[in-house]
């Protein structure tokens, strides 16, 4: 089950659509959906997690804690809405597109994709683009 939690004023306007899409992303990688919690927060909240658990003193857009068991994905994905907004401007994309990229990014990590090397990062971007294209809004 995918759940959305808020530690900031931000709130998703379309939780059901995003949840359904993320479920499809998981299935498209031949994985099973377990308990995945998205926690939306601000830079300060995420920086504290980064320092406390990863010993990094840097701002980031996403931190994921992976509790996957076998083929069933479980985890907590923390997303800084401030970083997503700033990155959307930096990359010249809409906030919605950048948010979808980060939402998919966390799931892709749980599926085994990395982004530490240039080659891994390239594959991660390719996978993110592929998953974003899977999102359809029903009218």
């Amino acid at each position: 089950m995918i759940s959305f939690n808020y530690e900031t004023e931000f709130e998703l306007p379309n939780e059901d659509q995003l949840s359904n899409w993320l479920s499809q992303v998981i299935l498209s990688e031949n994985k099973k959906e377990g308990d995945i919690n998205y926690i939306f927060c601000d830079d300060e909240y995420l920086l504290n997690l980064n320092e406390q658990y990863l010993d990094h003193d840097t701002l980031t857009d996403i931190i994921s804690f992976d509790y996957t068991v076998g083929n069933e994905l479980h985890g907590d994905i923390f997303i800084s809405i401030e970083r997503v907004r700033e990155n959307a401007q930096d990359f010249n994309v809409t906030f919605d597109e950048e948010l979808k990229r980060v939402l998919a990014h966390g799931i892709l990590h749980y599926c085994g994709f990395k982004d530490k090397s240039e080659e891994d990062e390239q594959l991660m971007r390719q996978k993110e683009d592929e998953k974003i294209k899977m999102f359809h809004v029903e009218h």
Side-chain angles (χ1 to χ4, degrees):
M1 180 181 160
I2 294 171
S3 63
F4 301 106
N5 308 277
Y6 305 93
E7 294 292 335
T8 182
E9 294 298 309
F10 172 81
E11 221 170 289
L12 291 170
N14 54 345
E15 283 187 3
D16 287 345
Q17 289 173 324
L18 287 168
S19 181
N20 290 337
W21 167 64
L22 291 165
S23 294
Q24 291 305 309
V25 167
I26 292 166
L27 287 173
S28 74
E29 290 296 327
N30 299 312
K31 302 292 182 184
K32 290 183 186 157
E33 182 179 319
D35 293 318
I36 298 174
N37 300 301
Y38 283 93
I39 301 96
F40 298 97
C41 55
D42 60 18
D43 279 346
E44 186 179 347
Y45 190 101
L46 210 54
L47 180 60
N48 287 336
L49 285 178
N50 215 0
E51 291 171 339
Q52 186 176 351
Y53 294 101
L54 303 175
D55 209 23
H56 296 158
D57 185 18
T58 55
L59 293 174
T60 187
D61 53 355
I62 181 173
I63 294 177
S64 57
F65 294 94
D66 189 352
Y67 312 123
T68 293
V69 179
N71 219 25
E72 192 171 270
L73 307 185
H74 296 272
D76 295 323
I77 300 172
F78 293 83
I79 295 174
S80 167
I81 292 303
E82 289 175 276
R83 280 302 96 220
V84 172
R85 280 200 176 100
E86 195 166 295
N87 288 345
Q89 287 180 323
D90 290 348
F91 301 135
N92 201 26
V93 296
T94 66
F95 172 78
D96 283 349
E97 184 174 339
E98 186 60 19
L99 182 61
K100 285 184 192 95
R101 180 172 306 283
V102 175
L103 290 167
H105 186 91
I107 297 282
L108 289 167
H109 271 308
Y110 295 168
C111 292
F113 294 95
K114 309 282 182 225
D115 58 3
K116 293 297 179 211
S117 74
E118 200 172 305
E119 194 177 315
D120 287 345
E121 192 173 334
Q122 210 171 10
L123 179 58
M124 176 68 89
R125 295 293 161 265
Q126 185 183 325
K127 280 289 186 179
E128 289 167 358
D129 289 342
E130 173 188 306
K131 303 313 177 190
I132 289 169
K133 287 179 184 143
M134 290 172 56
F135 185 85
H136 300 290
V137 178
E138 284 89 32
H139 295 286

